[in-house]
Amino acid sequence: MPRRTATMLASTLILIALLCAGVLINVPYSEMSPGPTVNTLGKVDGEPVLQITGHKTYKTSGNLNMTTVRVTGADYKMNLVEAVYGWLGHDAVVVPHDTLYPNGKTEEQSTQENAEEFSQSQESAKVAALTELGIAVPSRVVVSTVLKDSPSQGKLHAGDVIKAVDGTAVKQPEDVSKLVTRHKPGQDVTFTVIPAKTAAAAEKAHKEPQGNEKVTVTTKKAAKENRAIVGIQAGTDHTFPFDIEIKLADVGGPSAGLMFSLGIIDKLTPDKLTGGKFIAGTGTIDDKGKVGPIGGINMKLVGARNAGARYFLTPDENCKAAASDTPDGLTLVRVKGIGDAKKSLEKIRAGDTAGLPSCSAG
């Protein structure tokens, strides 16, 4: 066999062997890629994403698209070839598996956590939107979770409204733990509550719940600290003056909060926020309308531009990363709060894009 032919054959066999090894060798990485975008002003499967009843609504135009990131599952085994392809590509990002599933978290646990965050983001989006419009949204401190085998199990229940602890009124969730830890382990704490069923019925009727009951719980010592606990987690719930439902399945996490808020505002006001423009965005939102950072910003930019967006509302803390790799034809708009976002939408509507707050990679 001629030397040249032998060399080519050997090289080919080595290449085949390397490819086979690359396919068979698993690496501890996962992939993030652009997920679908959804117009919060539109419909999914024939149903409006935002459904408002009990209050006048107005026609909308254009797009206010929330964006998502698609990730590989916790049990997915990425091989070396896929990892290299992902590293070299532009529309996907390869990250360490533990970044998406820390501490051995299963896909089921991650899904549950994302569902809870998504639910909370919807609540905050509604509060922020109505507050921005000057519509009062009464809040109350509630039992969010009762820990298994805790002193409170069977006595307090998730959804119970906590009015007072030992006769002292509570206004914030943190007030509950402060009042409980005034006790020594083994001492009794008296909670003044409105039962969850009573509170739920009042919420359905858009009324403040009434009807206090007293519940006594004996504290115990915390597992790792010498302080009294009762085994509950307190949170905040709200009474909305009318019904706002967000109909969107198979989406998790808190990052759609900003876009939900803007969609609600658009439906409740006569002015069309977008002016018919295609605007996408992302960002968490709290009850006061502050916009927070999210993960996977560059994948969301790609997804938004592929869907047709021309402007992207970008959380302030994500601006630097977003500006470092912005798809052509997409204008980044920096936002810190829901008020910022509304003002920027007014500028886009008026064609005053030179005055938009921008992102920079510096």
Side-chain angles (χ1 to χ4, degrees):
M1 181 183 298
R3 179 177 297 178
R4 184 177 179 183
T5 302
T7 301
M8 290 182 62
L9 179 59
S11 299
T12 301
L13 292 173
I14 291 172
L15 179 60
I16 292 172
L18 289 173
L19 288 173
C20 289
V23 171
L24 295 174
I25 296 173
N26 292 326
V27 291
Y29 290 95
S30 296
E31 184 179 85
M32 301 169 62
S33 59
T37 75
V38 178
N39 185 10
T40 61
L41 303 177
K43 296 181 178 181
V44 172
D45 297 329
E47 280 195 290
V49 174
L50 299 175
Q51 300 182 14
I52 300 174
T53 54
H55 193 284
K56 185 176 182 180
T57 57
Y58 299 86
K59 289 184 178 180
T60 60
S61 66
N63 289 62
L64 284 171
N65 279 41
M66 56 159 285
T67 50
T68 64
V69 174
R70 185 180 286 113
V71 299
T72 50
D75 297 329
Y76 180 76
K77 304 297 183 183
M78 177 176 286
N79 62 50
L80 185 58
V81 171
E82 291 172 321
V84 172
Y85 182 81
W87 281 320
L88 296 176
H90 180 71
D91 289 354
V93 174
V94 174
V95 297
H97 185 273
D98 289 346
T99 300
L100 301 178
Y101 304 99
N103 303 319
K105 185 185 296 183
T106 66
E107 188 169 349
E108 183 179 2
Q109 290 171 327
S110 180
T111 299
Q112 176 62 29
E113 183 178 294
N114 284 337
E116 292 172 358
E117 290 178 338
F118 186 61
S119 177
Q120 181 56 53
S121 77
Q122 293 181 47
E123 184 91 353
S124 294
K126 297 174 191 177
V127 175
L130 297 189
T131 301
E132 180 68 20
L133 293 174
I135 300 173
V137 184
S139 65
R140 53 189 182 267
V141 178
V142 298
V143 177
S144 292
T145 306
V146 179
L147 302 181
K148 185 179 179 181
D149 299 326
S150 71
S152 294
Q153 189 171 15
K155 295 184 176 182
L156 296 174
H157 305 86
D160 286 349
V161 178
I162 305 174
K163 302 293 290 184
V165 177
D166 293 325
T168 301
V170 297
K171 297 181 179 180
Q172 302 293 335
E174 53 267 27
D175 294 343
V176 177
S177 61
K178 289 178 182 178
L179 291 167
V180 169
T181 53
R182 288 181 179 179
H183 293 265
K184 294 180 179 179
Q187 292 183 332
D188 289 344
V189 179
T190 301
F191 290 85
T192 303
V193 302
I194 299 174
K197 289 184 179 179
T198 303
E203 184 176 357
K204 189 174 182 180
H206 306 297
K207 297 179 179 179
E208 275 293 289
Q210 304 292 328
N212 295 346
E213 294 183 5
K214 292 187 183 298
V215 178
T216 300
V217 181
T218 302
T219 63
K220 75 173 186 178
K221 182 179 175 294
K224 297 182 180 180
E225 300 177 67
N226 187 26
R227 62 182 178 88
I229 61 170
V230 293
I232 65 169
Q233 293 179 347
T236 304
D237 202 359
H238 301 88
T239 299
F240 293 101
F242 48 88
D243 289 326
I244 304 174
E245 286 191 77
I246 298 176
K247 297 281 191 178
L248 195 58
D250 301 323
V251 176
S255 65
L258 170 63
M259 303 312 290
F260 283 144
S261 284
L262 293 173
I264 292 167
I265 290 173
D266 203 0
K267 282 180 172 284
L268 292 175
T269 51
D271 293 334
K272 294 178 172 60
L273 283 186
T274 69
K277 303 290 196 303
F278 195 137
I279 297 156
T282 189
T284 66
I285 200 161
D286 65 17
D287 291 356
K288 296 180 179 180
K290 181 181 178 181
V291 175
I294 51 80
I297 184 68
N298 297 101
M299 295 299 95
K300 292 184 176 184
L301 296 178
V302 173
R305 190 67 189 97
N306 288 345
R310 299 301 302 273
Y311 301 91
F312 194 93
L313 303 180
T314 312
D316 178 57
E317 294 179 55
N318 290 122
C319 256
K320 183 176 180 180
S324 68
D325 190 17
T326 308
D328 291 339
L330 190 65
T331 299
L332 303 183
V333 181
R334 180 191 296 267
V335 293
K336 296 182 179 180
I338 195 169
D340 293 342
K342 280 183 63 186
K343 289 177 182 177
S344 291
L345 291 177
E346 289 173 7
K347 290 180 181 295
I348 292 172
R349 225 169 39 237
D352 181 22
T353 56
L356 289 172
S358 61
C359 294
S360 97

